[in-house]
Structures are given as C-alpha cells and as structure tokens.
Amino acid sequence: MSTATTIPFVDYLVLEPEPHLIAHECTGCGARYFDRRNACAGCFATEFRDVDVASDGIVRSFTIVTFAAPGVEVPFVAALVDCDGTSVRGNIVNCPPDPEHVTLGMAVRLTTVAVGADDNGVQAVNYGFEPR
Amino acid sequence: MSASDDIWILGISMTKFGKHADRDVVDLGAEAITAALADAGITMNDVGVFAAGNLMGSAGIAQQLQKQIGQTGIPAYNVSNACATGATALRTAIMAVKAGETDIGLACGVEKLAGAGLLGAGGQEKSVGHEWTPSGRYGAVGPIDGRIGTEAMPGVFAQIGMEYLHDHQYGGTAFELFARISEKNHSHSTLNPLAAYSKAMPLEQIMNDIMIAYPNTRPMCSANCDGASAAVVVSGEKLRTLSLEQQRRAVKVSASILTSDPFEQACQVLPNINTLTRNAAEQAYEQAGVGPDDLDLVELHDCFATAELVHYDNLMLCEEGGAVDFFESGAPWRDGRMPVNVSGGLQSKGHPVSATGIANIWEVCQHVRGEGGPRQIEGAKVGLAHVIGLGSACGVHILEKSGLAA
Ligand SMILES: [Zn+2]
C-alpha cells in the first residue's frame, strides 16, 4: 500500500520539488509529446528523454466552455498555452471565465488544482494556468 | 477495362437533412442510393463496386444497404473516417474505377444524429468508491475532458479559430466576426429546401443565443441531424458509351484528394486542421489544373463558424493570413466574388457526419449542372468541395461542368 498523500492527475505533471510539466522529447528530432510513445510521429525514432517544460507561457488560443458532457463542470476556460516554444493544453484558472479577463496573448503561469481524495485519502493534484 | 484518369459523377443525390424519426439509417441510405441511381440512369446491375460509411449505427452498413437495394455480389467496402467518411467512401469508389477494376462505382454516406449530444466529449467518470489509478496514454487518474482543456467539438474548433486570430494579430471583436460568418450561412440557407434549418438569423439573434463554447453560440455550431447522400461515379471511357443526356449532365471529377495531417510540433496538442487542408487544396489544384481564382463556388467544412474562417486561408481563397479581410470584403456571400457555402453550410444545412462529404459535392454538382434552382450561382462551371474529419482526414474534390455532348 502506497504511503503517498498526493498523486499527479497525469503522469507528465511532476509535483516535487516545484510543480512543473515534463515532456517526452524525441532524441532524433526534438519533437515533444505528453503521451506514452511508441515512436516519434515526425522522424520515427524510438528514443525519448524527459525534459522540463517552462512553467511560464502565453495564451495562444482559448475557448470558454459553457455547455459540456454530463459530469463536466462548467464554465471553464480551455486554452492552448505556448510555454517557451512548447504548446500545452490546460485550463485557465484563478481568473473569471469571460472574454474581458481571458485574452489572446495573455501571460500565464503553471499552478496546481486540487481534484479530490480517493478512499485512501490520497489527493489527486491537477495543473492549470493562472494569469501572471 | 483499363486504368482511367478520367472520372465523372454520373448521378448524385442527398436526402432532406433534418429529423427523420420514423426512418432508420438503411431507409435513409436506400433513399439516397435509389435517387442517385435514377439520376445516373442506371441500376444496381451496372455497379461494380460499392463503398458506404456510417459512424453511429451498427457495423456493416454497406451490406445492410445491399440487402435492401440489391445484392449483386460486388465488392462492398465499409469505411469510417470521422466527418470525412462520405468523401472517403467516394474516394474508395473512385480509386477502384481509376485502377480499372470496374467502370462504375457507387458511394453512400448516412447518419442518424438528431438529438445526439456533444460529439467528441468523453465523460467516462470512474465509479465512486475508488482509488486514484493512472491509466491511458497520459497516465491520468480521471477523465481529462473539462480538467485539461476540452474534448468536445465546439470548444476544439473554437480554439482553432481563435488561434488563427492570435497568429494574425486580429484587433477586432472575435465574437462578432465569427457570428457574422454564421449570419452569412444562415442567410444562404433560406434558398435551400433540403437544409435542416432554412431561416435567416439576424446577427443579434445569433450572438444572443445560448453560448456553447465561446465564441461559438448554438447557431454557430453545425446542427446534429439525420440524412444521407450517395453518388455514382463512372470512367470517361464508359461514359462515352452512354446516352448524350447522361454525358451532358455528368460532372467531371477534376480532382479527388484525401490527406491526413503530417507531423508538426503541437499537432497532437490542439488538432492542426490547417496543414492537411492546405496540402489537399494544393494537390487538388495541381491535379485539376485550375487555381482558386477559377472557382465559381466553394462548399467548405464549416462545422463551426470558427472553422470557416481558417479554411478561406487553407483553401487559398485569399492571401495567406488574409482570411478576415477576405470575409470583410463580402467575397464569400452568394453575390460576392467567391461564394462560399451557398447551401447554408453545416451550420444551417445540418451535419449528419457520414453524409456530409458527399452532400457538399452534391451541392457543387447542382450548380455546375445548372440545376441549382433559386440558389443557382449563375454560369457556374467549376466548384470545390472540402470536408474535414477531426483526427484528421481532409477530402477535397474539384468538380467541373461537362463539356461532352454540348
Ligand atoms: Zn523525432
């Protein structure tokens, strides 16, 4: 039985020592991915190394979702964030979900969001981006 | 038979799009096929290959249809390619004719979607009484839809449109710009009796409707509905043996292209629907020997108002980066320089996903045949039909008026 009290919501979120994202970077061409890989879609190489992704970024695109599938809380802001050249999907948090407060080109930073505890008391921790 | 580069549409049809509560996918597909065969002036006995697509129903739509319209023992292909399924079925029939395996092919796309919810959204919440357990390719301990961006189509395509505005430093109001694109298509739909919705909508009404995923309100999203479409394709060699009337009404398939997205950084983060569309358009113009300026009309995949904008650019209807100016010039209105979606587009005509890729070709055929009725684009000779299946697949067809038996 695990003694961990927190678990990252996805495996590319690292919580310690400072929360940050990692990407699987192709050693052949430098392409970055967040999912488990079989090979690189760009150059077909099979070697990857984990690299830290910058935690500061700018909002390249966003949408404010007000109508979603059952079980998905609305409204929320879904965004594409350019973190120093690496594109990352994430929600914009700690910011009113309206187009007066969320804008294209807005500067944001990575933050963490509590998702809840499981039956063992382990807290799942997700990431989001907040204005900076 | 020999391999042929000369492919024609001999007959084509679409059903009315909308709610068909009392009919199943086989009824709708059979109606479209029967009409396409009648339009072509042939029967199932003349057809040498059949391809059909349907995403939401039970497997084997091609054989289900054969059992109702004619079992002749020909090869039947069931195809699935998201919203490009219809175009993919047509491409399959075209490839068989081009390869010389047969001289007449049939394709059909059919869908029942009326009342369906959000496409693409995945809410498979784990049962409660749980232990966080990483699973899937992101090692996620729960569903990511809504927690790490959105999986639902309105929001995905909203981001695609907003990304274009960011990349081209648009200074205006995004919401109003996209709503005006929707206003155009709803206005066009008033002339299309087969559209699911054929009411003009003032800009304020579009903007004040329910917001689904900013900046897309409900009328700016393609309508889930039921419908089917079908087409008969024939080799040029065979066409020249048919009646003068068949030759005169046949529509030349000057280009038939299907692409998938080539890898680019970030294309697996937010889908890139731009590069594969541009690639398909480039190949289509090359194959047809025509350029964007030669087109009399375009039916493009406006699954959301935010998608239409980027495709003005991707299909090279405007200068690179010039999609907003192109729209603001009035060009894509039906009385403009380059009419786009005179059918009303997916926002009004509706989007029964598997049927869409042939229905947009049907629309172009109506015009180049001079059979467009009240919405005829006068003197249309060449048109382009575009479809996108997210994931992604892109189909582009260029259709030309017959010069035979003139
Ligand atoms: Zn690589």
Side-chain angles (χ1 to χ4, degrees), chain A residues 10-28:
Chain A
V10 284
D11 62 14
Y12 61 89
L13 168 63
V14 176
L15 296 175
E16 301 291 341
E18 284 296 311
H20 66 282
L21 302 181
I22 53 166
H24 312 307
E25 185 177 87
C26 172
T27 57

Side-chain angles (χ1 to χ4, degrees), chain B residues 279-351:
Chain B
N279 287 353
E282 274 172 2
Q283 290 172 40
Y285 292 133
E286 166 85 27
Q287 194 174 88
V290 304
D293 290 342
D294 299 316
L295 302 175
D296 297 306
L297 75 156
V298 171
E299 286 287 303
L300 62 75
H301 199 74
D302 65 320
C303 50
F304 298 90
T306 45
E308 175 156 330
L309 183 80
V310 304
H311 293 313
Y312 295 152
D313 199 330
N314 295 329
L315 296 172
M316 294 172 262
L317 309 183
C318 60
E319 286 173 28
E320 211 159 339
V324 174
D325 290 344
F326 174 79
F327 175 71
E328 299 289 9
S329 77
W333 283 79
R334 58 168 291 118
D335 57 359
R337 178 171 64 78
M338 175 78 73
V340 174
N341 290 337
V342 298
S343 66
L346 278 50
Q347 293 164 60
S348 353
K349 183 173 68 176
H351 184 25

Side-chain angles (χ1 to χ4, degrees), chain A residues 9-12 30-38 41-42 60-64 66-69 72 76 78-80 87 89 91 99 104 116 118-120 122 124 126-127, chain B residues 118 121 125 129-132 134 137-151 155 158-160 162-163 165-167 211-214 263 265-266 268-270:
Chain A
F9 192 74
V10 284
D11 62 14
Y12 61 89
R32 290 184 169 191
Y33 302 92
F34 293 101
D35 62 343
R36 179 165 58 78
R37 298 305 302 177
N38 298 89
R60 270 196 71 191
S61 185
F62 72 91
T63 179
I64 305 162
T66 39
F67 190 85
V72 176
F76 67 92
L80 180 70
S87 288
R89 257 176 78 160
N91 289 6
L104 294 172
D118 67 9
D119 290 351
N120 304 322
V122 176
N126 193 9
Y127 71 91
Chain B
L118 284 172
E125 192 73 53
H130 65 283
E131 185 170 309
W132 295 123
R137 290 206 164 238
Y138 296 110
V141 300
I144 65 169
D145 187 17
R147 291 199 175 107
I148 301 175
T150 179
E151 304 276 294
Q159 290 176 84
I160 286 166
M162 293 292 279
E163 182 186 38
L165 297 187
H166 174 263
D167 291 354
M211 183 61 75
I212 304 294
Y214 177 91
F263 181 77
Q265 283 283 13
Q268 296 187 15
V269 177
L270 179 69

Side-chain angles (χ1 to χ4, degrees), chain B residues 154-284:
Chain B
V156 171
F157 280 94
Q159 290 176 84
I160 286 166
M162 293 292 279
E163 182 186 38
Y164 186 90
L165 297 187
H166 174 263
D167 291 354
H168 297 96
Q169 292 98 39
Y170 179 64
T173 308
F175 182 25
E176 193 196 309
L177 169 69
F178 291 120
R180 283 191 286 122
I181 292 175
S182 191
E183 179 189 26
K184 167 184 74 76
N185 290 351
H186 285 290
S187 169
H188 285 171
S189 76
T190 59
L191 296 172
N192 186 356
L194 297 186
Y197 301 96
S198 48
K199 282 200 180 113
M201 292 184 88
L203 184 63
E204 308 74 60
Q205 190 185 346
I206 292 168
M207 293 180 76
N208 290 329
D209 207 312
I210 297 169
M211 183 61 75
I212 304 294
Y214 177 91
N216 287 322
T217 64
R218 186 172 53 183
M220 296 162 71
C221 302
S222 52
N224 285 336
C225 67
D226 307 333
S229 56
V232 174
V233 291
V234 62
S235 68
E237 193 181 339
K238 174 75 177 177
L239 177 63
R240 287 173 181 88
T241 70
L242 301 178
S243 75
L244 292 179
E245 179 66 1
Q246 284 166 308
Q247 294 183 41
R248 189 188 62 77
R249 289 186 70 250
V251 173
K252 186 163 191 216
V253 182
S254 301
S256 174
I257 301 291
L258 189 73
T259 57
S260 60
D261 40 340
F263 181 77
E264 288 176 68
Q265 283 283 13
C267 77
Q268 296 187 15
V269 177
L270 179 69
N272 175 351
I273 63 165
N274 301 319
T275 306
L276 84 164
T277 296
R278 186 169 289 271
N279 287 353
E282 274 172 2
Q283 290 172 40

Side-chain angles (χ1 to χ4, degrees), chain B residues 340-394:
Chain B
V340 174
N341 290 337
V342 298
S343 66
L346 278 50
Q347 293 164 60
S348 353
K349 183 173 68 176
H351 184 25
V353 288
S354 292
T356 293
I358 295 176
N360 60 1
I361 291 169
W362 176 87
E363 179 69 24
V364 173
C365 288
Q366 295 298 102
H367 295 273
V368 301
R369 278 172 159 180
E371 297 175 4
R375 70 180 184 288
Q376 174 71 39
I377 295 299
E378 234 20 81
K381 289 189 174 64
V382 189
L384 181 148
H386 159 257
V387 68
I388 279 274
L390 201 67
S392 296
C394 176

